[in-house]
Amino acid sequence: LGENEGSDIMFYINPFNKGLIFSKENINKFLKQLKLDPHQDYYKTCSNESILLRVLKNLEVSFQKEGNVSKLEQVKYLIGVLVSED
């Protein structure tokens, strides 16, 4: 990763971990622990649509595990709407 790549981003918020805030250095340490080379894709921001899709996919798995067919169908419908807009 070049020195100036992603330099306009001051911090990252992880909406899937209680809004935990990460700096670029935090991400670098995490990647090092995983023995992964820093790749510029790891520092890109996510679109609202991709975050929403991930939330819906997580709900889909949860509702499927608990056997909540009604909620599962609703979530699948929303995923379909979101994906069809792409």
Side-chain angles (χ1 to χ4, degrees), residues 28-38 42:
N28 288 336
K29 287 179 188 176
F30 180 69
L31 293 173
K32 189 174 183 177
Q33 288 175 349
L34 296 176
K35 297 181 175 145
L36 294 172
D37 293 326
Y42 298 145

Side-chain angles (χ1 to χ4, degrees), residues 10 20 42 50 56 66 68 74:
M10 297 174 61
L20 190 62
Y42 298 145
S50 66
L56 290 171
E66 67 182 32
N68 191 332
Q74 292 175 17

Side-chain angles (χ1 to χ4, degrees), residues 32-69:
K32 189 174 183 177
Q33 288 175 349
L34 296 176
K35 297 181 175 145
L36 294 172
D37 293 326
H39 188 275
Q40 71 185 77
D41 286 344
Y42 298 145
Y43 303 90
K44 290 182 180 176
T45 58
C46 296
S47 68
N48 292 335
E49 291 83 9
S50 66
I51 292 171
L52 183 56
L53 185 58
R54 184 171 168 190
V55 168
L56 290 171
K57 293 280 189 178
N58 289 345
L59 285 172
E60 180 182 32
V61 170
S62 295
F63 291 141
Q64 191 167 22
K65 282 182 182 178
E66 67 182 32
N68 191 332
V69 177

